[in-house]
Structures are given as C-alpha cells and as structure tokens.
C-alpha cells in the first residue's frame, strides 16, 4: 500500500500521539521515558490541530498515521490560546510532582504544563512547526512534502517565515532541514532554532 498525504481529521489525533511518542527522543522511540504515553504529544502535537486544524497535515501508511506536521501561524497568539484553552484541563489532570528517580521524565513535562516558558520567536518567522515521521517513511521525500504543504498554507496567509526547534543531538534532522532551506538562527541549551523564509 502506498503512503499518502492529506489534511488533518480529528480522528487522526490518537495516531499522531503515537508517532510523537515513537519519535520523541531526538528522533528515537521515547516510550521508555514516559509512564504516561500521551504526555509528550499533549505539549508538542495535540494543541496545534485543535487550535488551527488548517495547518496540520498527516501521512497515512498501511492504514495508520505514520507522520505529520503541525503548526501555528502566530506563536504569540498560540501561546495565549494554550494558556486560555489547553493548559487548564491538563493542569487539573497532571498535578506537579517530584522526580521519582526511576529514569522517567513525566515530571519534566508536567512542570512545563504548569509553567510554560514563552516560545522564543524570531521577528521574521512568527510561525512555528513540529514534524515527525516514523523511521520506515524517512528518506522517501515525505518530510519535504509535509514542509512544502505547510509552507504553501502559511504563504496563503501571508506569513513571512516559520521556525522550529531541534535537539542538538538530532544531527540527521538538522541536516535535513538545512537541505530544505532552513537557516540556523540561534542556539539554546536544548538545541537549535532554525528558520525558513517564506517570501
């Protein structure tokens, strides 16, 4: 069966959450890191298609979600929306807790839910994205197609640029983004911010 790319549908969310977890450790499977398998996607996948479904695309392979791109056209407005509409229910569901000392990182993400830091935003790239593909579809052009599809949607809204953050350990992903035309913008403790100009 040939993989296909299409717009997001609300029924895609469980599959997208699964892909987020399976690629969430600098591109590797993050399942051993989290007791709650949904936590990672609650931060880095779920709110985007809920806030703005028109900026989410999925790749379907063998009848299941195997990749996606999610985005917001306006990072500051998205952060405000999350504070109003996304974080409150999650804060009630996930109380703050200490590190259990077992190697899991749920407490780190719960801390971010309760105390999110504003997303650093370059002035020429107010949009930002997250993209994930299962290993079996990597290297086949799907990442490029997802980025191009999203870029077209952002240009239609007259957005000048889009940025993303990459774990510094994920050198393969950094090389991929640079090959697509992203430029290195800034380095942080967690990794690098890359920018794609859309004009």
């Amino acid at each position: 069966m040939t993989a296909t790319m299409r717009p997001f549908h609300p029924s895609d969310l469980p599959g997208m959450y699964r892909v987020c977890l399976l690629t969430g450790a600098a591109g590797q499977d993050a399942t051993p890191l989290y007791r709650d398998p949904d936590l990672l996607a609650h931060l880095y996948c779920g709110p985007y298609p809920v806030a703005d479904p028109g900026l989410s695309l999925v790749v379907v392979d063998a009848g299941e979600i195997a990749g996606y791109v999610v985005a917001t056209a306006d990072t500051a407005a998205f952060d405000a929306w999350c504070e109003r509409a996304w974080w409150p229910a999650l804060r009630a569901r996930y109380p703050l807790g200490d590190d259990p000392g077992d190697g899991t990182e749920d407490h780190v993400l719960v801390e971010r839910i309760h105390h999110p830091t504003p997303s650093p935003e370059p002035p020429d790239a107010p949009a930002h994205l997250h993209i994930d593909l299962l290993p079996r579809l990597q290297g086949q052009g799907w990442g490029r197609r997802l980025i191009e599809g999203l870029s077209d949607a952002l240009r239609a809204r007259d957005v000048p640029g889009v940025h993303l953050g990459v774990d510094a350990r994920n050198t393969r992903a950094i090389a991929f983004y640079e090959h697509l035309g992203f430029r290195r913008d800034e380095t942080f403790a967690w990794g690098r911010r890359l920018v794609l100009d859309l004009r």
Side-chain angles (χ1 to χ4, degrees), residues 43-94:
L43 278 84
Y44 300 113
C45 175
Y48 295 88
V50 173
D52 192 342
L55 294 179
S56 294
L57 298 165
V58 299
V59 176
V60 181
D61 178 55
E64 66 179 14
I65 302 298
Y68 63 81
V69 63
V70 295
T72 177
D74 184 330
T75 295
F78 175 76
D79 287 346
W81 177 88
C82 285
E83 190 60 40
R84 182 176 67 253
W86 188 256
W87 301 134
L90 291 175
R91 288 169 182 159
R93 178 175 172 184
Y94 297 104

Side-chain angles (χ1 to χ4, degrees), residues 12-134:
D12 297 328
L13 268 179
M16 294 166 72
Y17 268 52
R18 174 179 166 271
V19 171
C20 185
L21 182 65
L22 292 176
T23 58
Q28 304 300 311
D29 186 358
T31 301
L33 297 177
Y34 300 104
R35 292 182 175 184
D36 187 318
D38 290 338
L39 258 177
L40 196 65
H42 283 330
L43 278 84
Y44 300 113
C45 175
Y48 295 88
V50 173
D52 192 342
L55 294 179
S56 294
L57 298 165
V58 299
V59 176
V60 181
D61 178 55
E64 66 179 14
I65 302 298
Y68 63 81
V69 63
V70 295
T72 177
D74 184 330
T75 295
F78 175 76
D79 287 346
W81 177 88
C82 285
E83 190 60 40
R84 182 176 67 253
W86 188 256
W87 301 134
L90 291 175
R91 288 169 182 159
R93 178 175 172 184
Y94 297 104
L96 285 165
D98 296 327
D99 183 349
D102 60 0
T104 58
E105 297 185 8
D106 297 55
H107 64 286
V108 176
L109 297 186
V110 171
E111 173 68 26
R112 291 177 190 168
I113 288 170
H114 284 265
H115 304 291
T117 55
S119 303
E121 177 187 339
D124 56 345
H128 78 263
L129 69 87
H130 296 280
I131 181 172
D132 288 303
L133 273 173
L134 292 180

Side-chain angles (χ1 to χ4, degrees), residues 44 48 68-72 75 119-122 125-132 143 146-147 150-151 154 161-168 170 173-178 180-188 190-197:
Y44 300 113
Y48 295 88
Y68 63 81
V69 63
V70 295
T72 177
T75 295
S119 303
E121 177 187 339
H128 78 263
L129 69 87
H130 296 280
I131 181 172
D132 288 303
L146 286 168
I147 294 290
L150 173 65
S151 296
L154 291 171
V162 60
H163 68 276
L164 55 79
V166 188
D167 190 307
N170 200 346
I174 292 171
F176 163 73
Y177 295 127
E178 290 181 337
L180 292 185
F182 284 80
R183 56 179 168 82
R184 298 191 188 198
D185 179 63
E186 195 166 344
T187 300
F188 301 91
W190 48 262
R192 293 182 177 143
R193 183 173 67 197
L194 307 177
V195 169
L196 179 65
D197 298 316

